[in-house]
Amino acid sequence: MAAKTLRRAQLSQEMCERLSRYQITTCQDFLCLSLLELMKVTGQSYYEVQKLLCKVSRACAPKMQTAYEMKLRKSVNPSSAFLSTTLHSLDKVLHGGIPCGSLTEITSPPGCGKTQFCIMLSVLATLPVSMGGLDGAVIYIDTESAFSAERLVEIAANRFPTYFGSDEKLLCMTRSIHLYRELTCCSVLKRIMSLEEEIISKKVKLIIIDSVASVVRKEFDTKLQGNLAERSNFLTRGASVLKYLAEEFSIPVILTNQITTSLSSGPGIRADLVSPADDLSLSE
Amino acid sequence: MQREVGTLPLAPALRARLAAAGFQTAQELLDTGPCGLSKEIGISREEALEALQVVRQECLGDATRTAGGAGASRKCTALELLEEEQSQGFIITFCSALDSILGGGVQLTKITEICGAPGVGKTQLCMQLAVDVQIPESFGGVAGEAVFIDTEGSFMVDRVVEIAAACVQHCHLIAEAQQEEEHRKALETFSLENILSHIYYFRCRDYTELLAQVYLLPEFLSEHSKVRLVVIDGIAFPFRHDFEDLSLRTRLLNGLAQQLIIIANDHKSAVVLTNQMTTRIGQSQSTLVPALGESWGHAATVRLILHWDNSQRLATLYKSPSQKESTTAYQITSHGFRDVQPPAVTHSTGGTELNPRKRPRTEEEKQ
């Protein structure tokens, strides 16, 4: 929406040409200027500029929906709202399972089973809807090289022996889990940005990023001054793209995080300040 | 009439030509007339006429302002303001302790900012307010509608359904206890479906959409004149990334704050913003402070900070023009925002959906 060009916002041709001389080509550039600057750049009077602003705003503003319409839309399709984890008490606490359309974060100290949980969820996502799965592919972004395909097959074969009885079913399942090994923040961000097309072409129904914390902690040392801002920048950018993907395609997105002891404010273990969970950005 | 040509809201090229032709005051322009003007500056007669109309409108506007007329001006005496404030309603939060430190609830025509760490209850409070603004006047509410601008995607319809159902239940209980005609009439229109239909939801994905939506809000509010609450959930989120130029960010935020103040005043609605917390690295320690910087702190009139103390949720009134700084505890139940239940109060079995606020209210209204 922000990158929408002014021409598509139905501004006149000569106005667009005039603005492009000042490097103002998208709605974003237009809306970032103050009224006086706009007057100078467009050469129009105050009232005309306000009318132009409304026109451009109408081109980018989101559509209105009432809460009632949202509820009706949801009630039309209740079963696709969650990915059941097949652990009954966990599903009960989560009111159905991992919610589709939003980000879920899994945090724990090392060795508790985050990666195992993610591997199991990948298997579940490939199952048909009748068995509680999402009948789709999985994108698995692995930053710690902890994903083991053998373990994946072991879980599948032991958990659902009847369904995965034949080799070809197993092969089919493993073919639909797309693994990406990314080792730096930059490559993780680039991968996240490129996911939109992959989701459509491969019919992806689950995105897992394991783990955000490891790659961020490797590169950003919070004790150094400028790093906090850059880290927060990276996290929010990644977060907003992931949220957009989750909402747009109504799929669950799972992120894993690490735990660190915070010594500054009192005893006890808190989720890493780096991570989504905490204040900085992702968890919102 | 003595207004200088440079201050008139004309196109810059036109102003430059007028200055070159030697025009200095608006009066000179009006005296020349459209034909004379078009000949002297070299513009068409229609353009000259348009320009003169703008000038006349401006000068008329000035005249009424200086003559102390009502309408466009925003001045009034403190007495009028007092009467207005006293008759104005508040939007309650259903947590009586929080309402009392706020002085009755969230005030209309003011901007209230709610800051807090993730998970502490900011979006819950916003959803609670979006339901509470619709409480009918006979129950002490404002009977308005709500606009919910969501930048983070944390609006959950199912949760709003729960909160709204609990609110309707609460009103039904009051109506039963009191048996008054107006209560019953009000309840006919205060149903779950109506509540949900009057929450107008906008999902803004980045700051451009947010800016665009706020530019279009005055128009929307004049079409939907019953709106009494505008919630922007997550004003910080779209502004925290992709901004290498922090001065641009400050300017955009200030512009946004100005527009919201105008909206709050003109349409007599409350504006509620939620903000995130960020770590400020001090000399020896790091503290959590509201995000978006120092200058943003001036935008909100009332600032509420929600935080944790071990496992208890607390709300601190950090900035308010009329109430003193204080902290109170609250909790979030399946029915929404509520008081922390004091241990001394005994309440009936968990079957009915009573909340601690119900008993004190019926008692005082029975009088």
Side-chain angles (χ1 to χ4, degrees), chain B residues 10 20 25 30 50 55 60-61 65 117 119 138 157 174-175 181 190 193 199 229 241 253 268-269 284 296 335 357:
Chain B
L10 299 166
T25 67
L30 291 173
E50 248 183 72
V55 172
L60 267 178
R65 259 179 294 222
S138 49
V157 190
I174 296 182
E181 185 54 45
F190 192 57
E193 204 182 287
I199 299 181
L229 173 67
H241 59 107
L253 283 172
K268 284 215 177 9
S269 40
S284 53
W296 177 249
H335 308 304
R357 258 204 105 202

Side-chain angles (χ1 to χ4, degrees), chain B residues 231-252:
Chain B
V231 177
I232 302 187
D233 187 10
I235 191 118
F237 187 66
F239 287 101
R240 290 188 77 183
H241 59 107
D242 282 345
F243 267 104
E244 286 94 27
D245 184 11
L246 279 185
S247 61
L248 174 65
R249 187 180 91 166
T250 314
R251 188 154 60 72
L252 290 178

Side-chain angles (χ1 to χ4, degrees), chain A residues 1-2 28 39 43 45-47 58 62 65-68 71 74 233 237 243 247 278-280 283-284, chain B residues 9 11-12 58 118 152-153 158 161 193 196-197 199 201 203 205 207-209 219 240-242 276 279 288:
Chain A
M1 274 299 135
Q28 188 175 46
M39 276 174 71
S45 70
Y46 184 75
Y47 301 108
R58 249 186 289 268
Q65 27 178 342
T66 64
Y68 189 57
K71 174 167 171 283
K74 263 199 146 172
N233 207 347
R237 207 129 44 101
K243 274 198 221 222
E247 283 177 18
D278 221 327
D279 61 349
L280 287 184
S283 65
E284 295 295 337
Chain B
E58 275 298 309
E152 300 171 345
D158 302 317
V161 168
E193 204 182 287
L196 290 179
S197 323
I199 299 181
Y201 178 78
R203 173 77 170 96
R205 297 247 151 77
Y207 71 88
T208 313
E209 290 188 17
E219 202 184 304
R240 290 188 77 183
H241 59 107
D242 282 345
Q276 298 173 354
T279 350
L288 280 182

